Amino acid sequence: MPSLSRTDTSLLGRWWWTVDRWTLLAVSTLIGFGYVMMLAASPAVAERIGENRDMFILKQVIFLALASVTVVATSLLTPRNIRRLALVACAGAILLTAMTLVHGVEIKGARRWIALPGMALQPSEFLKPSFAVVAAWLIAEGKRSRGFPGTLVAVGLFLVMAMLLKSQPDIGMLAVLSSVFFAQLFIAGLNMLLVLIGVGGFAGAGLAAYTLFPHVRSRVERFLHPQSGDSYQVDKALEAFGNGGLLGRGPGEGYVKNQLPDAHADFVFAVAGEEFGMVLCSIIVLIFAFIVIRQLLRLMREQDLFIVLASAGLVTSFGLQAFVNMASTLHLIPTKGMTLPFVSYGGSSVIAISLGMGMLLALTRTRHHGDVS
């Protein structure tokens, strides 16, 4: 294969010299960690539920391979095509999320999944990256064309998705989506009075969720008063971190994963802590922080409001999801069933996150005067 020189004007050549290669490397490293952690955590879970010990590994190999292709293929697109892709993905995700309320598979009292051969699709995962881009486009167009009520349309679209997520229910997903949208409105120049009203609204919504949804109330109570209910998984996760210490027990030597029902998914960070220690966990945290901080710093030089809002929304969603997973595993916040991007098992989550990161890389590519927008 010929090397890609700066004079290469092919599609891949232009892509290689304009894409943020440091962020691409960081994402690739997380995907590599995903392979390693599935080898470490998933066999014990598969055996415990009576399946072939390689079942989760084989599936995740396919998911992560698709994720790699999705990141690169999406990052090749122009901002104009990213907008079109986001519109189609957002419309499809809304329709499929609505379908879960009628034909969805119920798991632990929630209808969030559609059964497919070999996997369960969670359409709401695709709302996060697609809505971030669509909302950015609507807000930016509203600023550019005074007669176009872009912000109002974005608010209306958000309310539709909020009702769907509340009905499933998926309060955690709704909280992330709300935080991302509010961050975009704030960056777009939301009036300070409205900012204060929004903060009050978040507090009121949190209180309402605590009052109306028993599972939310249960998680908060168990976080504040661990002795008040079942805190088995969190206790085991903290035990895993204690066992691992600084350098870990070694690959495959952890035993808490044999007792954690979600060791391969929501609590994979605990498995990393036991087998590889605080050093590797710190590296994982730093990689996530590097991606978020680097992308936010790059946006400080960007003049296009759409790109600023869309990229800020995508990186906020990515960083917030990573924070929620790791913080809940460490018992810093109430538990929430949310995967660690690229590291946890999960088809819908991995593909949706890869779509978002591909969009982010496409929007933040270096562009010169005359490039297609």
Side-chain angles (χ1 to χ4, degrees):
M1 177 180 175
S3 60
L4 297 175
S5 68
R6 287 187 179 274
T7 58
D8 189 344
T9 58
S10 67
L11 179 63
L12 283 177
R14 293 195 306 273
W15 170 80
W16 177 250
W17 291 109
T18 56
V19 75
D20 182 1
R21 296 190 295 278
W22 283 105
T23 298
L24 187 64
L25 175 63
V27 169
S28 301
T29 303
L30 289 176
I31 291 175
F33 281 142
Y35 284 115
V36 172
M37 293 315 304
M38 281 307 99
L39 290 171
S42 66
V45 178
E47 287 184 339
R48 190 165 56 249
I49 63 175
E51 298 287 349
N52 185 295
R53 63 182 281 110
D54 296 327
M55 180 188 72
F56 292 119
I57 296 174
L58 295 175
K59 285 185 177 181
Q60 194 69 353
V61 165
I62 296 173
F63 293 148
L64 290 174
L66 288 174
S68 301
V69 172
T70 301
V71 169
V72 173
T74 308
S75 66
L76 289 167
L77 301 177
T78 64
R80 181 181 301 165
N81 286 329
I82 290 294
R83 288 196 294 267
R84 293 169 178 168
L85 174 62
L87 284 168
V88 173
C90 189
I94 289 174
L95 289 174
L96 290 175
T97 301
M99 190 181 298
T100 61
L101 303 179
V102 181
H103 301 291
V105 177
E106 184 172 332
I107 301 177
K108 298 179 181 179
R111 288 184 174 271
R112 305 172 189 169
W113 300 270
I114 295 175
L116 296 177
M119 67 173 291
L121 175 68
Q122 186 176 353
S124 59
E125 287 284 354
F126 295 89
L127 289 175
K128 289 183 292 186
S130 59
F131 177 66
V133 176
V134 171
W137 172 71
L138 289 170
I139 296 170
E141 282 299 307
K143 297 281 187 180
R144 187 177 296 114
S145 305
R146 294 298 179 182
F148 178 64
T151 302
L152 289 178
V153 175
V155 170
L157 189 60
F158 166 75
L159 292 176
V160 170
M161 292 185 293
M163 290 302 297
L164 291 174
L165 293 174
K166 170 191 168 296
S167 300
Q168 285 187 329
D170 192 347
I171 305 304
M173 182 74 72
L174 176 56
V176 171
L177 202 67
S178 302
S179 300
V180 170
F181 185 47
F182 186 74
Q184 290 179 304
L185 291 173
F186 179 76
I187 294 171
L190 190 64
N191 181 281
M192 189 55 65
L193 177 61
L194 294 178
V195 170
L196 295 175
I197 293 174
V199 171
F202 271 112
L207 181 60
Y210 176 83
T211 304
L212 298 175
F213 297 99
H215 71 283
V216 174
R217 182 165 57 253
S218 173
R219 288 178 176 178
V220 173
E221 289 294 333
R222 282 179 288 159
F223 171 72
L224 296 175
H225 310 288
Q227 70 280 1
S228 65
D230 179 18
S231 58
Y232 177 80
Q233 293 216 84
V234 172
D235 292 340
K236 286 297 177 183
L238 294 177
E239 180 184 336
F241 287 114
N243 293 340
L246 185 63
L247 298 176
R249 298 172 60 89
E253 296 300 317
Y255 60 82
V256 170
K257 64 188 179 186
N258 298 317
Q259 305 161 354
L260 269 172
D262 295 322
H264 63 316
D266 300 344
F267 287 88
V268 72
F269 194 57
V271 178
E274 182 175 32
E275 299 199 357
F276 301 99
M278 188 182 75
V279 171
L280 182 70
C281 288
S282 299
I283 291 173
I284 292 174
V285 172
L286 289 174
I287 291 174
F288 282 113
F290 170 79
I291 293 174
V292 173
I293 294 172
R294 179 173 176 82
Q295 291 303 310
L296 291 177
L297 290 175
R298 285 172 67 88
L299 291 180
M300 294 179 68
R301 304 191 302 267
E302 182 59 56
Q303 300 298 317
D304 189 317
L305 180 61
F306 162 68
I307 290 179
V308 170
L309 294 178
S311 300
L314 290 168
V315 77
T316 299
S317 174
F318 178 78
L320 189 57
Q321 179 166 339
F323 168 78
V324 168
N325 176 277
M326 293 185 288
S328 60
T329 302
L330 290 165
H331 198 51
L332 300 177
I333 62 173
T335 57
K336 169 65 187 85
M338 194 167 286
T339 59
L340 187 60
F342 295 118
V343 181
S344 295
Y345 173 82
S348 300
S349 174
V350 167
I351 301 304
I353 292 167
S354 64
L355 179 65
M357 292 309 296
M359 289 177 169
L360 180 64
L361 288 169
L363 292 171
T364 57
R365 282 172 58 187
T366 303
R367 286 181 174 80
H368 305 287
H369 181 70
D371 288 353
V372 178
S373 60

